[in-house]
Amino acid sequence: MISKKMLDALNKQINAEMYSSYLYQSMSAWLSWKNLNGFAKWFAVQAREETKHAMKFYDYIYDQLGRVTLAAIDAPPADFASVKNIAAKQLEHEKKVTGMINNLVKLAREEKDYATEIFLQWFVTEQVEEEKNAEEIILKLEMLGDKGQALYLLDKEMGKRE
Ligand code: FEO
């Protein structure tokens, strides 16, 4: 069993992960609108990953005989200045999520909830990957440029994500 405080925090994280999914799907929608279909696919896959993250918390709560309560998901932004702007926003958002995960680990330690602390280790590692992926997109856009042929080729590469 987990404490009420821990349970509430885990339920909140379900909402945060669903917001991440919504945010990346919104980015994907904007990218499709701009005919950047490779980038759009990459962000749509990322959105699905975020739903899976939410479900990991969901399943863990029931493993601990808790109760899931779902709250409203905030509307994500619909308009973005450019693909570079999307990449920067993604990194900023992932850094925020890393902070949330770290706070959950801190709470688990305070509560002496070792099972939840171990469960959260997967997310600690995942956030390193998430920030790295976001950084890589920024670096590629900086290296190759975000216009014309360079953007066309990068878009093709991004579309290879399954
Ligand atoms: Fe669920 Fe992108 O972190």
Side-chain angles (χ1 to χ4, degrees), residues 84-159:
K84 263 189 175 168
N85 172 249
I86 283 180
K89 276 193 189 307
Q90 184 198 9
L91 180 59
E92 183 188 308
H93 183 70
E94 286 303 333
K95 283 185 174 169
K96 198 171 140 192
V97 174
T98 299
M100 289 175 189
I101 298 293
N102 290 345
N103 283 338
L104 287 173
V105 173
K106 193 166 159 259
L107 179 63
R109 284 187 183 169
E110 282 165 10
E111 301 276 303
K112 296 191 176 17
D113 183 345
Y114 304 117
T116 301
E117 188 181 337
I118 290 168
F119 163 74
L120 290 167
Q121 288 310 305
W122 185 89
F123 286 94
V124 172
T125 309
E126 177 69 6
Q127 281 312 119
V128 176
E129 188 71 24
E130 294 282 74
E131 286 193 29
K132 181 176 150 243
N133 289 344
E135 294 263 18
E136 272 177 6
I137 298 176
I138 293 174
L139 284 175
K140 280 177 188 169
L141 283 165
E142 278 172 2
M143 217 186 309
L144 300 166
D146 64 343
K147 289 182 179 61
Q149 203 179 15
L151 184 59
Y152 176 80
L153 292 173
L154 195 49
D155 187 57
K156 266 200 173 337
E157 190 196 316
M158 295 294 285

Side-chain angles (χ1 to χ4, degrees), residues 50-109:
E50 298 298 351
T51 306
K52 284 184 200 158
H53 293 173
M55 289 309 293
K56 270 185 188 282
F57 282 100
Y58 185 109
D59 291 339
Y60 178 72
I61 287 174
Y62 282 113
D63 285 345
Q64 285 285 12
L65 308 178
R67 181 186 168 191
V68 168
T69 44
L70 299 178
I73 304 164
D74 288 342
D79 288 307
F80 303 94
S82 62
V83 64
K84 263 189 175 168
N85 172 249
I86 283 180
K89 276 193 189 307
Q90 184 198 9
L91 180 59
E92 183 188 308
H93 183 70
E94 286 303 333
K95 283 185 174 169
K96 198 171 140 192
V97 174
T98 299
M100 289 175 189
I101 298 293
N102 290 345
N103 283 338
L104 287 173
V105 173
K106 193 166 159 259
L107 179 63
R109 284 187 183 169

